[in-house]
């Protein structure tokens, strides 16, 4: 969910998995379809309401997609849809920045990062923060493409939810949290850890969700 340009999605397809990539942005999906093994992926343009009920073994959200659901209502609807898309016992995995670490305080033009993308080449990225209020950080992401000299600017608003808030919302939609890591090295979550990397099991139906509405 929120597959973007399909980097992870296509790698899973390369390994032989049957994969569905979902994203609301047509330009992102155009890049994804051009990747090697992109023709093996079922691509869906849209949001969680387009998932349906494929009885998937695993649903993932990467790139902090979970933080783009600003309201409690939209986050609840997304989790319920993901639950309906999984088989009984299937897993949901995602990462969300830990609000206790206050990572946004380090975001600035000086904190630039560079990545080498196999499709578009070298890209420099940085973020500027404009406002922090009620758990929502308003910011602007910048993407500078070395091959063309083009710079794209993307305004964003991100919701920072605590570990307790995430656990409660998952329980409300039929998930049981199995583990929460504080970083990709699987260290325990802590107040100083930058990430909350969550793995949850779809162990029971959501009490207030009708899966037939997604068919």
């Amino acid at each position: 969910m929120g597959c973007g340009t399909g980097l992870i999605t296509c790698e899973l397809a390369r390994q032989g998995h049957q994969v569905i990539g979902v994203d609301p942005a047509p330009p992102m999906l155009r890049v994804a379809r051009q990747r090697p093994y992109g023709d093996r992926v079922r691509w869906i343009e849209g949001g969680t309401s387009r998932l349906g009920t494929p009885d998937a073994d695993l649903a993932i959200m990467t790139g902090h997609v979970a933080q783009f659901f600003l309201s409690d209502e939209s986050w609840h609807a997304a989790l319920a849809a993901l639950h309906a898309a999984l088989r009984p016992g299937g897993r949901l995995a995602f990462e969300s920045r830990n609000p206790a670490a206050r990572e946004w305080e380090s975001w600035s033009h000086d904190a630039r990062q560079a990545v080498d993308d196999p499709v578009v080449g070298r890209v420099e990225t940085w973020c500027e923060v404009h406002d922090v209020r009620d758990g929502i950080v308003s910011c602007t992401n910048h993407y500078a493409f070395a091959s063309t000299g083009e710079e794209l600017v993307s305004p964003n608003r991100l919701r920072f939810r605590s570990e307790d808030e995430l656990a409660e919302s998952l329980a409300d939609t039929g998930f049981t949290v199995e583990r929460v890591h504080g970083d990709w090295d699987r260290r325990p979550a802590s107040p100083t850890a930058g990430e909350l990397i969550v793995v949850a099991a779809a162990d029971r139906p959501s009490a207030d969700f009708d899966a037939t509405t997604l068919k």
Side-chain angles (χ1 to χ4, degrees):
M1 181 63 229
C3 63
T5 61
L7 186 64
I8 293 176
T9 315
C10 290
E11 172 59 23
L12 291 170
R14 184 192 69 80
Q15 295 179 21
H17 299 289
Q18 184 178 357
V19 191
I20 302 170
V22 187
D23 200 276
M28 293 286 195
L29 292 179
R30 281 197 293 271
V31 174
R33 290 186 176 98
Q34 297 172 14
R35 290 191 185 278
Y37 303 94
D39 58 343
R40 299 186 184 181
V41 177
R42 177 189 169 198
W43 302 105
I44 296 177
E45 181 183 326
T48 52
S49 63
R50 300 290 307 277
L51 286 171
T53 53
D55 289 326
D57 297 298
L58 172 68
I60 63 172
M61 291 184 284
T62 62
H64 301 101
V65 165
Q67 293 186 252
F68 286 88
F69 297 96
L70 300 181
S71 70
D72 292 338
E73 293 77 14
S74 64
W75 176 234
H76 181 94
L79 291 178
L82 288 161
H83 188 286
L86 290 165
R87 64 168 176 79
R91 300 297 193 275
L92 168 64
F94 64 91
E95 90 279 56
S96 186
R97 296 177 184 90
N98 183 5
R102 303 179 68 84
E103 181 183 323
W104 62 83
E105 294 180 347
S106 66
W107 295 349
S108 70
H109 181 274
D110 295 331
R112 298 165 71 104
Q113 295 183 331
V115 296
D116 292 306
D117 186 275
V119 175
V120 299
R122 189 168 185 81
V123 184
E124 284 194 339
T125 66
W126 67 96
C127 184
E128 295 177 313
V129 176
H130 309 299
D131 185 50
V132 181
R133 188 177 308 176
D134 298 327
I136 296 176
V137 174
S138 300
C139 58
T140 300
N141 289 333
H142 296 259
Y143 305 87
F145 297 84
S147 60
T148 63
E150 182 182 14
E151 181 180 323
L152 297 181
V153 177
S154 173
N156 281 314
R157 299 177 72 209
L158 303 172
R159 174 72 179 270
F160 282 70
R161 292 179 173 89
S162 68
E163 183 177 353
D164 287 344
E165 289 175 310
L166 292 173
E168 182 178 356
S169 62
L170 286 161
D172 287 345
T173 46
F175 287 97
T176 295
V177 174
E178 292 188 330
R179 52 192 181 275
V180 181
H181 301 297
D183 210 332
W184 297 106
D185 59 5
R186 300 189 179 187
R187 72 183 64 179
S190 72
T192 59
E195 299 285 351
L196 296 171
I197 302 171
V198 181
V199 179
D203 59 345
R204 59 179 173 80
S206 175
D208 58 352
F209 181 70
D210 182 2
T212 61
T213 61
L214 297 181
K215 294 182 179 179

